[in-house]
């Protein structure tokens, strides 16, 4: 990819390689301090702030994608949607799906919901507000179908996978070339998924390392945190990866009204709980065309990651989300 993207410019190739070398050699910033509360079920866990205060301790559960670690929602003390919601008085929780092994090869995405997510959510003291990011939003819609919730918010969540358009053919070829190896392992490595993301926007991947070569020292820790998150993550189970590539991206079963979990067809438009959908208008990983188009749709002028941790995230997403949560009716 580097060779093809910089073939016409040796200077750009040299800059990107210098940026990559700087990234590899850099000293990593420390992680944010540990959270005070934890609940576990199997390999999955919820870690939380505890809540209380002016927000009344309403449980708010952040559900990340199965792809990449959950730390994008708790990236640092300054860039943490989780901790910020906790500071507003909510009992804010973050789901960590844990690391699967080959013995779980047949646990598909529905199995993650039924066997890991729902049992954890049922340990909470009250129906939670579910806030799902990326594929976690798709998953959150299923959970909201299967148990009582106080509300559902999705952020950059794909639903109409046909909205990937022509990219679906490239993704299908990528999966076809890797499927046999994944079947042999019983897992879908993160490296395969990351390569797929690079294919969606190869020019940007090269450009960010070109820029990092001369980036000011003060900006380096934030870059490292974000890149380490983007380049990390446990594998998917074979069945979950097959679901992602075949059931969702290729067949678009959610968008066609054919995705079933625990014997129920999942359709967010049929839910009766309060709902809101935040859609990035510049997202290349989850294009706006894949959105569910819920009645309360909020378009955000930031990218897939920038809307969560960018300089305008608090104004563009965090505050509107918190305001929406604050207006939800209280259970009696």
């Amino acid at each position: 990819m580097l060779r093809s993207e910089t073939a016409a410019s040796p200077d750009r190739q040299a800059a990107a390689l210098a940026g990559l070398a700087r990234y590899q050699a850099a000293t990593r910033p420390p992680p944010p301090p540990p959270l005070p509360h934890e609940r576990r079920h199997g390999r999955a866990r919820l870690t939380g702030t505890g809540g209380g205060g002016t927000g009344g301790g309403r449980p708010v559960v952040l559900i990340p994608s199965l792809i990449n670690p959950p730390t994008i929602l708790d990236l640092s003390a300054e860039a943490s949607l989780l901790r910020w919601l906790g500071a507003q008085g909510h009992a804010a929780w973050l789901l960590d799906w844990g690391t699967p092994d080959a013995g779980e090869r047949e646990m598909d995405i529905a199995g993650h919901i039924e066997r890991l997510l729902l049992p954890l959510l049922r340990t909470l003291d009250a129906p939670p507000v579910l806030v799902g990011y990326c594929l976690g939003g798709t998953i959150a819609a299923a959970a909201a179908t299967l148990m009582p919730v106080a509300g559902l918010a999705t952020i950059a969540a794909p639903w109409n996978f046909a909205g990937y358009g022509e990219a679906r053919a490239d993704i299908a070829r990528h999966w076809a070339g890797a499927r046999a190896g994944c079947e042999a392992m019983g897992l879908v490595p993160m490296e395969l998924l990351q390569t797929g993301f690079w294919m969606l926007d190869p020019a940007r991947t090269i450009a960010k390392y070109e820029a990092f070569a001369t980036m000011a020292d003060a900006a380096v820790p934030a870059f490292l945190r974000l890149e380490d998150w983007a380049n990390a993550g446990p594998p998917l189970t074979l069945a979950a990866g097959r679901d992602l590539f075949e059931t969702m991206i290729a067949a678009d079963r959610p968008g066609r009204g054919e995705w079933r979990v625990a014997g129920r067809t999942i359709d967010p438009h049929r839910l009766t709980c309060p709902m809101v959908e935040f859609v990035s208008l510049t997202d290349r990983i989850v294009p706006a065309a894949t959105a569910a188009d819920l009645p309360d749709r909020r378009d955000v002028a930031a990218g897939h990651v920038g809307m969560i941790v960018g300089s305008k995230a608090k104004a563009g997403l965090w505050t509107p989300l918190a305001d929406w949560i604050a207006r939800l009716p209280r259970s009696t």
Side-chain angles (χ1 to χ4, degrees):
M1 184 175 68
L2 173 63
R3 198 174 292 120
S4 63
E5 288 295 318
T6 61
S9 177
D11 290 344
R12 284 191 60 210
Q13 185 176 100
L17 288 171
L20 180 60
R22 185 185 186 190
Y23 170 71
Q24 292 171 327
T27 300
R28 265 47 191 176
L35 292 159
H37 299 278
E38 179 178 279
R39 300 179 184 218
R40 287 184 173 271
H41 183 82
R43 61 174 159 90
R45 63 175 181 154
L46 292 173
T47 53
T49 62
T54 59
R58 182 197 295 273
V60 177
V61 179
L62 305 184
I63 302 175
S65 176
L66 290 169
I67 305 165
N68 293 118
T71 49
I72 190 62
L73 299 167
D74 187 31
L75 198 61
S76 69
E78 300 77 27
S80 173
L81 175 57
L82 174 73
R83 293 169 198 263
W84 187 82
L85 287 172
Q88 310 311 302
H90 302 299
W93 297 91
L94 176 60
L95 174 67
D96 184 339
W97 292 104
T99 301
D101 59 40
E104 298 174 280
R105 61 183 293 136
E106 294 306 322
M107 183 187 286
D108 58 10
I109 293 176
H112 282 75
I113 298 166
E114 297 165 24
R115 294 162 56 185
L116 297 176
L117 177 58
L118 293 179
L120 273 173
L121 295 178
R122 289 176 178 136
T123 69
L124 299 172
D125 297 331
V129 179
L130 303 183
V131 179
Y133 174 55
C134 192
L135 187 63
T138 314
I139 288 169
T145 301
L146 299 169
M147 67 170 285
V149 299
L152 169 67
T154 66
I155 304 169
W159 187 261
N160 293 299
F161 286 82
Y164 278 101
E166 295 179 359
R168 294 165 83 194
D170 292 333
I171 294 169
R173 283 190 289 272
H174 184 58
W175 172 238
R179 179 170 175 167
C182 294
E183 288 176 342
M185 291 185 289
L187 297 166
V188 179
M190 175 59 200
E191 291 80 3
L192 172 67
L193 302 166
Q194 182 68 307
T195 303
F197 292 145
W198 290 343
M199 289 167 52
L200 294 173
D201 193 2
R204 183 183 178 280
T205 300
I206 302 304
K208 67 183 177 182
Y209 282 103
E210 288 181 72
F212 186 61
T214 57
M215 183 176 289
D217 289 345
V220 166
F223 181 91
L224 293 174
R225 288 189 182 99
L226 192 54
E227 279 304 292
D228 285 352
W229 166 78
N231 293 321
L236 298 185
T237 63
L238 174 64
R242 191 166 52 215
D243 253 358
L244 176 63
F245 286 108
E246 299 178 14
T247 302
M248 294 188 165
I249 296 174
D252 189 23
R253 287 189 183 171
R256 292 165 59 90
E258 298 172 352
W259 186 41
R260 294 177 65 82
V261 179
R264 300 273 298 277
T265 299
I266 308 302
D267 181 353
H269 292 276
R270 295 183 180 179
L271 291 172
T272 58
C273 66
M275 293 180 288
V276 65
E277 176 182 36
F278 294 91
V279 178
S280 165
L281 296 179
T282 58
D283 198 334
R284 290 183 171 88
I285 295 173
V286 180
T290 66
D293 281 329
L294 298 178
D296 188 355
R297 169 174 162 160
R298 317 280 183 93
D299 290 342
V300 181
H304 188 76
V305 176
M307 68 191 302
I308 298 292
V309 295
S311 60
K312 299 179 180 178
K314 186 175 290 185
L317 174 68
W318 295 11
T319 298
L321 173 62
D323 290 345
W324 177 81
I325 293 172
R327 291 193 296 269
L328 292 176
R330 291 283 177 179
S331 59
T332 56

